[in-house]
Amino acid sequence: MHFSNEALQESVMDDLEYPATRDRVIHLHRGGTSVVIDLESEEVPVIVHWGEELVDSTPETVRSIAVAARPQRVSGGLDRTARLSVVATEASGWLGTPSIEGHRGGVGFSIRPEVVEVRVEHHAATVELEDAEAGIRLRWDVEVGAAGLLHQRMTVTNTGDGGYSLDALQLAFPTPGDATELLDTTGHHLRERTAQRRSFTLGTHLRESRRGRPGADATVLLAAGRPGFGFESGRVHGIHVAWSGNHRVLAERVVTGDAFLAGGELFAPGEVVIAPGASVSSPWVIGSWGDGLNQLSGRFHAEWRDRPQHPRRARPVTLNTWEAVYFDHDFDRLAALADAAAEVGIERFVLDDGWFTGRRDDTRGLGDWEVDAEVWPEGLHPLVRKVTDLGMEFGLWVEPEMVNPDSDLARAHPDWILRGRTSLPPSARQQQVLDLANPDAYRHIADRLLALLAEYPIAYLKWDHNRDLVDAGSGPGGSPRVRENTLALYRLLDELKAAHPDLEIESCASGGARVDLGILDRTDRIWTSDSLDPIERLENQRYTGLVVPPEMMGMHLTSPVVHSSGRTVSLELSAAVALLGHFGVEWDLTSADEQTRGRVATWIALAKRLRPLISDGTVVHVDGAEPGIDVRGIVAEDAAHAVFTITQVATSAAYPAGRVRFPGLDPARSYELRILSRPAHDPAQSPLAWAEEPVTMTGRELGSIGVRPPVQFPQQATVIEFVSQH
């Protein structure tokens, strides 16, 4: 998949150009998905099918699909019933949420474009539309990806005189009439991406992010499906906006029979004024569908892994120092931590906040990206040498988009701080936001980061973003700047990657407040949440994974008393919940005794053994387990190998619990079940029969019948490996 305008333009250079007739219907299909586009009956294209691949269809039957979707005129309505087109506007009779809204100083609001050119190549199409009266030209790019994702983007060009104020631009994805239940996610810091459901009734369900980043409360996916759809079954369609700034998604059902999901960037008043001859493109909005959320998310994972820049090497087991030392940086203490990390098999050592000038707490220093000479008189060189001599990569925490008012940078350049008026916006974590859309501010930050990367062998940047953007403007009397800062961030990440192709970057934003495929097209993983509580992480990781593949989700085992919740957890529970992602450690290992560090080393060795499976396999969440029991796993691409976890979140209704299933395996294969980790045997209980002797079952038997899970206390987990016998 690709996000650049240039790439799509190149892909259609040798396209078949359709003749200027109205008798055409486009059928794009691959990866199990078909998209049928009717250009015959309207001035603008109408998507009449998005979903199951129509493998047996012919041009004649596809055209019949389009004809069969055309509505009748009805009493009391317009003389021609308006339809959900790809540019649905009031001027065409559409009275639902429009695709585009804008004006020229309060006039020229009406838009009604017509198709002027169509180009199709393989699985993609570009449709050029123009409204000469409004002075607007549109380009609609649509593509079906290799795994069956539907990508849409719209580009607006101002062909008229004077500036054109673009107020709204979103892409619509039609949903089946029987998709009458909605799912999205919400949350807050330490509890991102918690699921919520509601009926998809007439009207609009609107979710907007106005935080300058997606936000901890944002939905990573908006989905509509058949009532009761789950992970294993139930037809469901969902969309994601691949954008790291303000955005909106909506689900709408109108009385004329159309139902759809739509998404795009959310513009502040006056934020986008297109000069004559200039163009503005929407972000890519991406749709997936499936029989169950497992299939829907699998399309995202497969296509994302197919990108040329996707991280290919084994994901290094990472230790981050934050919860071990916080701001208390001391060489001897950190060197001891590095020794302990190397002893247990850590491969990447990340120095978190506190290394730069004046940074003894979170009230000062942000923006002064020089190594603190008082704490590190020889720079970071002694620590970097220590880490690399132990055979680990060195990583560094940065927060380049932020600034403390108590910093040399803010004192020297107060005009570089985003604000909409003379006074500063409300502070958060005692910090403000730099205006990276200001070329001087951008260059200063880029040069400081490039200098650090040139001086030290930094393999990894933990890129943080610890506050929402509030009243983010270019200064008193200036313009909104969220969009321009998002684009500046993308340019900065691209510049660093171009200069240092082997550099890996993590997107962290108060934990998981900037999780989207726009940022993940330029980074190598996200920090899923600042909460390392394994019970809280189960739901967070489940719904983050609707879009993000597991190897790009930072999952760390943590200290016995969880920093974010105060909950006491076992090492085995913490490690089991972290096992099915990019594994790491967030713990002061020097505080653990030798036996405990040995247990950590055992889990790290297991994570290393399983990481090829994690990076290539299919994620499976199991429906229908007893309340209090969570079952999830990853199945290898060839289905010869799998690992599942059974986590006891709360006590079960049944005691002992009923059988749990393991779907997703090859029905025809036989698998040996091997318990890799489980709680110590309770002498008050009899042994678990199938754990005491070799058990082999077919994938069909495991997926439809299953096994009795071990009896576990709440906050315990069992890890089971499935190995094919042929």
Side-chain angles (χ1 to χ4, degrees), residues 143 257 421 447 506 527 640 725:
E143 178 180 356
R421 51 193 303 113
D447 288 346
E506 173 188 276
W527 185 225
Q725 297 305 288

Side-chain angles (χ1 to χ4, degrees), residues 371-448:
V371 177
D372 193 308
E374 292 185 13
V375 179
W376 301 100
E378 298 178 60
L380 295 176
H381 295 289
L383 181 62
V384 173
R385 280 195 298 271
K386 173 70 176 179
V387 167
T388 54
D389 285 350
L390 288 168
M392 296 183 288
E393 297 176 357
F394 181 76
L396 193 65
W397 179 95
V398 292
E399 195 174 3
E401 298 157 83
M402 301 295 161
V403 63
N404 287 126
D406 186 2
S407 66
D408 292 341
L409 180 65
R411 283 185 284 271
H413 300 285
D415 54 312
W416 289 2
I417 299 176
L418 282 174
R419 67 182 85 191
R421 51 193 303 113
T422 304
S423 58
L424 289 175
S427 65
R429 210 188 182 207
Q430 293 81 48
Q431 63 193 52
Q432 296 289 342
V433 187
L434 281 175
D435 182 6
L436 291 183
N438 179 314
D440 293 333
Y442 175 97
R443 192 69 262 150
H444 174 83
I445 294 298
D447 288 346
R448 286 307 313 133

Side-chain angles (χ1 to χ4, degrees), residues 188 235 275 317 339 457 529 635 671:
H188 54 72
R235 184 64 57 89
V317 177
D339 285 330
S529 177
V635 179
Y671 294 88

